[in-house]
């Protein structure tokens, strides 16, 4: 007697698709896990160090920051370059930062309650007169800045370069009548470079960095008002150890070479 044939039951198309999708998901998750294990450090392990620095430090600190990043894998240094007094105001209002570098000790003293330990003096700078390359007003001395018709631009008195300018003018008994008072030394330099001003008072380092865009005029009295630059890690830093490492970078041999090459003197 012939045996009845067995009926083959085929899975539904929908069930097959569900199985394929599930298998694909498992493979994808496995691939992601493999990537994570091979990578070693996830993006969540990256760190950002925020440095508040005087505008006159823009070029040098940008270079020091690149060197620091190269030596610290996963670290990004973010800078805020402004006049020291503006940076102090921001810190006092609660702006988050890890390191503060001021263009004078007076502004650093204003935030001493926010500083971890004792600030370290790492450089010094002196004033220099800056004019457009053709020196249209014929500025040859500090006294010439007070000549009638000279469009002079200086830093505001609360900014380190402005405080130094006022002190020099007082000692020299020269009455300055600026057409503009700026919140940072880089703004003064920009107005001279653009031809908006006949002369300005900036730092020696600013004249060097501007190159042939401007002409520098030195004056002996500048040596009587030397600005000393301090730097400190801030106690509210999200990574105080890393902040202190950056301070060490600035005050160490490599950082000091970058600063010296740019015209900064020892503190």
């Amino acid at each position: 007697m012939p045996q009845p044939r067995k009926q083959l039951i085929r899975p539904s198309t929908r069930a097959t698709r569900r199985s394929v999708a599930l298998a694909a998901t498992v493979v994808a998750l496995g691939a992601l896990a493999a990537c994570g294990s091979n990578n070693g450090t996830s993006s969540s392990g990256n760190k950002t160090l925020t440095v508040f620095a005087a505008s006159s430090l823009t070029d040098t600190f940008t270079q020091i920051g690149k060197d620091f990043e190269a030596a610290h894998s996963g670290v990004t240094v973010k800078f805020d370059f402004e006049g020291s007094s503006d940076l102090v105001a921001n810190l006092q209002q609660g702006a988050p930062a890890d390191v503060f570098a001021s263009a004078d000790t007076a502004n650093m003293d204003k935030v001493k309650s926010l500083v971890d330990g004792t600030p370290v003096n790492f450089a010094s700078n002196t004033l220099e007169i800056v004019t457009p390359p053709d020196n249209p007003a014929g500025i040859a001395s500090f006294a010439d800045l007070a000549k009638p018709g000279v469009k002079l631009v200086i830093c505001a008195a609360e900014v380190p370069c402005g405080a130094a300018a006022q002190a020099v003018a007082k000692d020299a008994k020269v009455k300055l009548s600026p057409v503009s008072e700026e919140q940072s030394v880089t703004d003064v330099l920009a107005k001279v470079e653009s031809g908006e001003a006949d002369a300005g008072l900036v730092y020696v380092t600013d004249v060097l960095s501007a190159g042939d865009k401007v002409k520098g005029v030195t004056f002996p009295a500048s040596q009587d008002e030397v600005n000393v630059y301090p730097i400190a890690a801030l106690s509210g830093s999200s990574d105080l150890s890393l902040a202190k490492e950056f301070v060490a970078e600035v005050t160490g041999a490599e950082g000091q070479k970058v600063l010296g090459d740019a015209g900064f003197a020892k503190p």
Side-chain angles (χ1 to χ4, degrees):
M1 185 175 186
Q3 296 293 323
R5 291 183 180 179
K6 293 182 180 180
Q7 185 176 1
L8 296 177
I9 301 175
R10 299 179 181 276
S12 68
T13 301
R14 183 177 298 177
T16 301
R17 288 175 179 172
R18 279 201 300 264
S19 299
V20 171
L22 179 60
T25 302
V26 170
V27 171
L29 289 173
L32 286 173
C35 289
S37 61
N38 291 334
N39 194 28
T41 303
S42 66
S43 60
S44 61
N46 294 340
K47 297 178 181 179
T48 298
L49 189 75
T50 301
V51 178
F52 280 16
S55 60
S56 53
L57 295 167
T58 300
D59 291 343
T60 52
F61 267 41
T62 297
Q63 181 58 55
I64 291 172
K66 290 178 181 178
D67 295 340
F68 190 79
E69 289 174 344
H72 295 75
S73 179
V75 172
T76 299
V77 183
K78 177 184 176 183
F79 290 104
D80 186 352
F81 294 111
E82 296 183 54
S84 297
S85 59
D86 283 344
L87 294 172
V88 164
N90 292 341
L91 289 172
Q92 291 173 332
Q93 292 168 12
D98 300 292
V99 177
F100 175 44
S102 174
D104 67 351
T105 56
N107 275 290
M108 180 64 78
D109 288 344
K110 294 176 183 177
V111 292
K112 59 184 178 182
S113 63
L114 305 177
V115 168
D116 180 83
T118 303
V120 182
N121 296 333
F122 65 93
S124 64
N125 217 344
T126 53
L127 293 178
E128 186 170 346
I129 298 169
V130 63
T131 74
D134 58 349
N135 194 0
I139 304 297
S141 67
F142 188 82
D144 286 344
L145 298 177
K147 292 193 304 185
V150 172
K151 292 183 290 184
L152 172 67
V153 178
I154 64 174
C155 292
E158 65 271 17
V159 182
C161 61
Q166 296 290 353
V168 170
K170 182 179 179 181
D171 292 343
K173 295 180 173 56
V174 173
K175 182 176 176 54
L176 300 178
S177 300
V179 296
S180 177
E181 295 186 3
E182 303 299 324
Q183 288 300 310
S184 74
V185 70
T186 50
D187 289 339
V188 173
L189 184 65
K191 289 208 167 186
V192 175
E193 286 181 346
S194 68
E196 294 180 59
D198 297 322
L201 281 168
V202 297
Y203 293 118
V204 169
T205 52
D206 298 304
V207 177
L208 286 174
S209 67
D212 58 8
K213 296 178 183 177
V214 299
K215 177 181 180 180
V217 179
T218 60
F219 58 98
S222 65
Q223 300 303 315
D224 298 330
E225 294 296 332
V226 177
N227 277 28
V228 175
Y229 288 57
I231 187 171
L234 299 173
S235 55
S237 170
S238 59
D239 192 327
L240 190 55
S241 176
L242 190 64
K244 289 181 177 180
E245 287 185 45
F246 184 84
V247 172
E249 180 82 13
V250 172
T251 57
E254 293 183 3
Q256 289 295 294
K257 184 180 186 308
V258 172
L259 289 159
D261 290 346
F264 285 93
K266 295 291 184 180

